[in-house]
Amino acid sequence: MKKILMVSACALALSQHAWARQAMGTIAADMPTEFHVADASFDYTRRDVMIPMRDGVKLHTVILIPKDARNAGMLMTRTPYNAAHMASLGSSNHMPSVLPGYDNMPDVITAGGYIRVLQDIRGKYGSEGQFVMNRPMRGPLNGTAVDESTDTWDTIEWLVHNVPESNGKVGILGVSYDGYTAITALFHPHPALKVSVPMNPMVDGWMGDDWFHNGAFREEMLPYIYNQGATRKNTAQWWSNAYDSYTLFLNGVSAGAVGKSRGMEQIGFFRQILAHPAYDSWWQVQALDRLLPKEGLKVPTMLVHSLWDQEDNYGAVALYDALRKQPAARSNLWMAMGPWNHGGEIHTASTLGPMELHSDTGLYFRKHVLTPFLAHYLKDDATPLPARITAFRSGENEWESMESLPPPECDQHCLTLHLQPNHGLGFGKPAANSGQLSYVSDPDHPVPYVPRPVVSKGQPDSEWRWWLATDQRNAAARPDVLALTSDVLTKPFTVTGEPLMHLTAATTGTDSDFVVKLIDVYPDEVAEQPAMGGYQLMISGNILRGRYRKSFEHPEPIPANTKQIYPVRLPMVNHTFLPGHRIMIQIQSSWFPLYDRNPQSYVDNIMIAPKEAYKPATISVDIAGSWLEIHGGTKPAL
């Protein structure tokens, strides 16, 4: 017994000695080699997988599967915005609490019992490969074997063979860039792709989405290009040495100079922007509204458009206009549009900036339009489909259904709203000798697009989300903005469609921008919402760089002191001007720093214009030669 005790004592001593040596030397790791989440109480299963593409590149994909999923449809989003984060927007063991955020709608996805699939596109976050901004489809600009459509095809092929809880049916949806990938999925679509919902999609970056509008560069998008294009995980963040972006970009002179001061010439897409300021073949062969009609629309698709989209208010409508010309495409084409900012349809949307809409328009869309549309194709085709066009009409704040939208071109229902002497506006044609209205446009004092200070997108107190709905009275008070106003309306007047401004003007310079805004002027007193008294709500607005007045592809100088016609197409409207309100048109030659300044003296490339090129010019607008074509009339019947 003594011998046994002595051995035990020795063993204890040796053990203590070993522990002491460990304490003085190597320390055992607290973190396990692999941590296993205790997820027995979770109502979903999360799978992180790397899905191989046909060229060997693997794309990071997060799959959230409801625990009780059996024979469930799959809803996919392909994104450059971090799939892992989008699948972890809440800390919970319940799937609805994990998904409330960008591109995720718990009242649609989890309430519908769908399997959620989120994927990083090539070169972003967890995916392999190289990132290319709006990667061109295979063709003149892409000689490889892969593009976003092939990556979508390969992903769906993997999903239908590796997610046994699914019914083999896939839908794709997404906002903005993710709306772009929802469109590219429609090229040579996988047979299991049953439905697509591109929401506020990027379609043509030169004509009117993120990068340019009719030739004017959206300078406020430089930070986005920097953040997305510099690093895989957006670790390099745009920096500014001025709180007011107006000051930052004014001091920086040109958009190219500002970008180069931040090293952006290292970013391929920035170099392409500098190299292609006009609508040349580089832009044209990428425009999805040109490409998809050639492919044909083979998958049921609902385009979603926001009437106050501050980023992509061109793409959905342009694609709709292109596709509806084809009888075969029309059978697969739907459209929904509402009083939202960019992506506002996925959130609570009971206000439009400061205005009350008297209902949650986002909830209405998701419940009565999106949910049955998805269910019809991903669950049970007995679910009734929504109307071909579901549109919110602001002013009277009502939902309505249509068979189609008015065409961009004027038809028998068009009316013309004419400029009048004394800054008036009316439906009667003015006399030929009505004269002109003039203002001086000075590039050193450009018109801000929101009241200063201009706080850029992404900053805590930025007005970016609602700049399209900001009060336009500050602009109307400036001497370099023409404000033309109608008499007070005595009955409702509804405008639906894409207005076209026929502007006849001359400039003392050799180049100029022309901004046209259609505005609803509220009565001086609004009893139910006093702060709205006299409010000037922009219904639609756009810009045209004067050098492109004849051709978007081939710019040319403006002959000084010579009248020219400038056709300015405005974005889609669906609005009723109420009795007691007035209609206003504002005309100006800068919208800064939303758009880069026009030097007003012709240079080959405004993106790199030198400081000495920026010169004041006098703009003279011909009254008799200027009018707005609008689709007017009574409101459409339900």
Side-chain angles (χ1 to χ4, degrees):
M1 177 66 73
K2 287 183 179 180
K3 193 171 185 179
I4 294 174
L5 289 174
M6 287 179 64
V7 171
S8 299
C10 289
L12 178 61
L14 288 171
S15 175
Q16 290 174 337
H17 180 64
W19 176 87
R21 281 191 302 165
Q22 183 182 48
M24 291 186 293
T26 305
I27 300 176
D30 285 338
M31 188 179 295
T33 304
E34 183 177 355
F35 182 78
H36 299 281
V37 176
D39 59 0
S41 66
F42 283 34
D43 64 7
Y44 67 95
T45 300
R46 173 174 174 146
R47 297 174 62 190
D48 280 77
V49 297
M50 297 295 289
I51 298 180
M53 301 294 104
R54 61 191 63 186
D55 63 345
V57 167
K58 295 178 181 178
L59 302 187
H60 174 240
T61 308
V62 182
I63 307 170
L64 302 183
I65 306 170
K67 276 285 179 68
D68 59 353
R70 299 291 183 276
N71 201 35
M74 292 181 278
L75 270 179
M76 176 169 65
T77 294
R78 304 188 62 252
T79 182
Y81 300 134
N82 193 349
H85 174 71
M86 290 167 62
S88 309
L89 292 165
S91 299
S92 176
N93 60 344
H94 299 298
M95 191 168 164
S97 298
V98 171
L99 293 177
Y102 190 80
D103 271 359
N104 289 319
M105 297 161 278
D107 55 354
V108 175
I109 297 169
T110 56
Y114 295 108
I115 297 168
R116 186 69 170 123
V117 180
L118 295 156
Q119 183 179 75
D120 293 320
I121 62 173
R122 286 174 179 255
K124 293 303 295 185
Y125 291 92
S127 285
E128 299 173 352
Q130 298 298 315
F131 173 69
V132 178
M133 187 76 76
N134 300 119
R135 180 182 295 273
M137 307 301 290
R138 287 168 295 165
L141 300 180
N142 181 357
T144 73
V146 297
D147 56 22
E148 299 295 356
S149 71
T150 64
D151 284 353
T152 307
W153 203 101
D154 293 347
T155 300
I156 294 175
E157 178 71 5
W158 188 95
L159 291 171
V160 297
H161 290 97
N162 291 278
V163 184
E165 299 89 347
S166 80
N167 60 8
K169 297 179 180 180
V170 179
I172 188 167
L173 54 76
V175 174
S176 193
Y177 201 117
D178 304 351
Y180 170 81
T181 59
I183 295 173
T184 56
L186 298 170
F187 289 80
H188 311 294
H190 192 285
L193 182 66
K194 301 302 180 183
V195 66
S196 176
V197 184
M199 306 164 79
N200 315 105
M202 304 164 80
V203 170
D204 188 326
W206 195 94
M207 288 300 296
D209 285 323
D210 286 279
W211 319 124
F212 291 83
H213 274 219
N214 295 323
F217 178 64
R218 305 199 98 198
E219 200 161 26
E220 281 274 54
M221 294 307 295
L222 280 177
Y224 177 91
I225 297 171
Y226 185 97
N227 296 343
Q228 282 295 125
T231 61
R232 181 180 297 267
K233 295 186 178 181
N234 291 28
T235 51
Q237 289 289 307
W238 176 267
W239 56 269
S240 175
N241 53 3
Y243 176 71
D244 188 349
S245 291
Y246 187 102
T247 300
L248 169 70
F249 288 110
L250 190 65
N251 291 343
V253 184
S254 69
V258 172
K260 288 180 178 180
S261 72
R262 280 146 179 78
M264 289 183 68
E265 67 273 15
Q266 301 170 75
I267 300 172
F269 185 66
F270 178 74
R271 296 197 300 271
Q272 297 285 19
I273 289 281
L274 294 185
H276 300 280
Y279 195 56
D280 57 17
S281 60
W282 190 83
W283 291 104
Q284 294 178 32
V285 299
Q286 297 185 66
L288 296 183
D289 56 330
R290 289 171 174 249
L291 294 177
L292 190 56
K294 296 176 184 177
E295 165 77 15
L297 188 61
K298 305 176 182 69
V299 175
T301 299
M302 175 179 287
L303 297 165
V304 182
H305 175 66
S306 294
L307 291 161
W308 276 266
D309 188 328
Q310 77 277 16
E311 295 180 24
D312 295 304
N313 65 0
Y314 175 85
V317 175
L319 188 57
Y320 174 86
D321 285 338
L323 289 171
R324 67 167 161 183
K325 296 175 182 177
Q326 300 180 332
R330 285 200 297 268
S331 64
N332 282 321
L333 184 60
W334 281 259
M335 166 73 88
M337 61 186 191
W340 310 307
N341 64 346
H342 190 65
E345 63 273 18
I346 72 173
H347 303 293
T348 299
S350 56
T351 58
L352 173 63
M355 284 147 287
E356 297 290 339
L357 298 174
H358 309 300
S359 67
D360 185 345
T361 62
L363 178 62
Y364 181 95
F365 160 74
R366 298 191 302 275
K367 182 177 181 180
H368 298 289
V369 184
L370 181 58
T371 291
F373 185 70
L374 293 173
H376 182 89
Y377 291 107
L378 297 178
K379 291 183 177 182
D380 181 0
D381 59 10
T383 303
L385 285 164
R388 287 288 171 176
I389 306 291
T390 303
F392 188 88
R393 183 163 35 80
S394 51
E396 291 188 314
N397 296 336
E398 295 180 354
W399 286 99
E400 56 195 7
S401 300
M402 314 176 194
E403 278 301 308
S404 64
L405 291 173
E409 305 78 18
C410 246
D411 56 19
Q412 67 271 20
H413 300 296
C414 263
L415 299 173
T416 52
L417 192 59
H418 292 270
L419 276 58
Q420 304 289 340
N422 301 316
H423 292 81
L425 201 61
F427 292 106
K429 190 173 182 179
N433 60 351
S434 293
Q436 59 190 25
L437 298 168
S438 300
Y439 59 92
V440 175
S441 174
D442 184 355
D444 286 341
H445 303 280
V447 181
Y449 73 97
V450 292
R452 294 182 66 182
V454 179
V455 184
S456 288
K457 174 184 178 183
Q459 300 305 310
D461 45 356
S462 174
E463 295 184 61
W464 175 255
R465 290 180 64 243
W466 290 113
W467 73 262
L468 278 172
T470 54
D471 196 339
Q472 297 299 306
R473 277 180 286 195
N474 282 319
R478 289 180 58 113
D480 51 357
V481 177
L482 296 181
L484 305 106
T485 313
S486 74
D487 293 335
V488 175
L489 298 176
T490 59
K491 59 182 181 180
F493 179 69
T494 297
V495 179
T496 300
E498 302 164 66
L500 176 63
M501 185 75 192
H502 296 264
L503 183 67
T504 301
T507 175
T508 57
T510 52
D511 200 358
S512 181
D513 289 346
F514 292 95
V515 176
V516 176
K517 298 180 283 187
L518 177 62
I519 294 166
D520 185 343
V521 181
Y522 280 58
D524 293 338
E525 288 186 295
V526 178
E528 64 274 18
Q529 198 175 354
M532 292 302 297
Y535 198 93
Q536 294 182 7
L537 172 65
M538 181 163 55
I539 303 304
S540 188
N542 212 351
I543 189 171
L544 171 68
R545 185 139 282 176
R547 59 177 55 204
Y548 301 113
R549 66 199 179 280
K550 295 180 180 178
S551 167
F552 290 130
E553 185 174 3
H554 302 292
E556 61 180 56
I558 298 173
N561 302 304
T562 304
K563 291 181 182 178
Q564 301 284 290
I565 297 174
Y566 302 93
V568 185
R569 174 72 67 184
L570 303 189
M572 174 65 66
V573 299
N574 193 41
H575 181 77
T576 297
F577 294 84
L578 298 175
H581 291 228
R582 292 178 292 162
I583 305 171
M584 175 184 282
I585 289 177
Q586 289 183 6
I587 301 169
Q588 59 201 55
S589 290
S590 54
W591 221 4
F592 186 76
L594 174 65
Y595 298 99
D596 62 340
R597 297 174 301 153
N598 192 314
Q600 302 186 146
S601 62
Y602 191 86
V603 295
D604 287 338
N605 188 345
I606 290 177
M607 299 288 293
I608 54 174
K611 187 173 183 178
E612 59 270 19
Y614 293 82
K615 299 176 181 178
T618 299
I619 312 297
S620 300
V621 175
D622 184 72
I623 293 175
S626 302
W627 64 87
L628 184 71
E629 284 183 357
I630 52 179
H631 293 267
T634 58
K635 66 181 182 182
L638 285 172

